[in-house]
Amino acid sequence: MNSRNYQLDIYPLLSSIFDLAGFSSQVPVVDEFLLNNAKLADDELRSQTSLMVNGSKLVGFYTSSVRTFRLEAPDFAPLKAERILTDAELDSMTQGDVIDLPAVDLSYFAIDWHYQRQGFGTLMMTNFLKNMAEAYIDHGIGFSGVVLFALNEAVPFYQKVGFRALHGIDYEKTPDLKQYPMFMNSRFLTDLYARL
């Protein structure tokens, strides 16, 4: 099976008629969210879940919302390199300082286990990032970037698409955390959008 051989569409969860019960990412907390909490969170306007489908089969889903996220001292230097902080702002920072920035929170991102490791995650992530870039460029919605908390086994995938670990965490040296806070700045998104 290869993702190139499929006609894939993205639909908002609330407008869909797709059966969610057969979906399994093989990560119980993720599957439970989709089956039991995603619709309520969407109904209450706390998040939006989008489904990637092939015909009538649910291939994957992602859930996003808007939030602020806290950056700590180890994150300041990369923010300067990414032109999110200025030299003056960086020079005024001291150990223990924090910065709260607006971001899109990619709360859940999962592919059904039948479709994993075949390019479907990359297709769905490309769609998500394109939508975020369009929100920023075409619709004037300002945010610093996209933040997520990756499960250990998903870190290499997120790194491959352009996310980096936050809070000074080095995945290679600490591969046993339950979740890794990761970030992709809006400049990277807009550059990606220009290439798509």
Side-chain angles (χ1 to χ4, degrees):
M1 207 175 346
N2 186 307
S3 62
R4 285 178 259 168
N5 301 329
Y6 286 84
Q7 172 62 43
L8 300 168
D9 297 298
I10 305 283
Y11 297 99
L13 172 64
L14 290 179
S15 70
S16 79
I17 57 169
F18 302 101
D19 178 25
L20 305 179
F23 182 86
S24 174
S25 67
Q26 297 193 323
V27 179
V29 68
V30 172
D31 299 339
E32 182 179 319
F33 170 79
L34 179 64
L35 293 174
N36 301 322
N37 303 106
K39 185 176 182 316
L40 178 62
D42 283 16
D43 281 342
E44 294 177 348
L45 305 177
R46 290 184 283 122
S47 64
Q48 183 175 31
T49 296
S50 297
L51 308 176
M52 183 171 72
V53 299
N54 172 46
S56 63
K57 178 68 177 162
L58 178 58
V59 174
F61 81 97
Y62 60 83
T63 301
S64 61
S65 62
V66 177
R67 64 175 285 183
T68 59
F69 72 103
R70 180 153 287 179
L71 292 176
E72 302 166 0
D75 301 314
F76 298 157
L79 288 179
K80 179 185 172 198
E82 295 169 356
R83 297 178 300 155
I84 294 173
L85 283 180
T86 65
D87 287 336
E89 289 170 320
L90 185 61
D91 291 342
S92 70
M93 298 289 175
T94 60
Q95 191 68 27
D97 282 351
V98 296
I99 301 172
D100 291 321
L101 294 173
V104 173
D105 179 18
L106 183 55
S107 309
Y108 292 90
F109 186 92
I111 300 294
D112 184 89
W113 74 274
H114 294 97
Y115 297 94
Q116 292 176 5
R117 303 195 193 308
Q118 299 169 51
F120 292 100
T122 300
L123 283 175
M124 193 165 72
M125 180 59 76
T126 299
N127 177 271
F128 169 75
L129 294 176
K130 183 175 181 268
N131 288 340
M132 294 304 97
E134 287 173 350
Y136 188 87
I137 295 168
D138 297 340
H139 304 291
I141 301 172
F143 54 93
S144 297
V146 177
V147 65
L148 60 85
F149 289 83
L151 298 175
N152 186 5
E153 59 274 10
V155 169
F157 168 77
Y158 290 121
Q159 287 176 324
K160 186 175 111 181
V161 297
F163 285 88
R164 66 171 172 80
L166 290 173
H167 310 326
I169 293 170
D170 182 345
Y171 172 71
E172 300 299 326
K173 292 181 181 173
T174 55
D176 56 351
L177 293 179
K178 290 187 178 183
Q179 292 186 331
Y180 292 81
M182 302 187 81
F183 179 69
M184 176 187 291
N185 75 60
S186 292
R187 291 188 203 287
F188 185 90
L189 279 172
T190 57
D191 291 345
L192 178 71
Y193 182 75
R195 293 191 303 267
L196 294 177

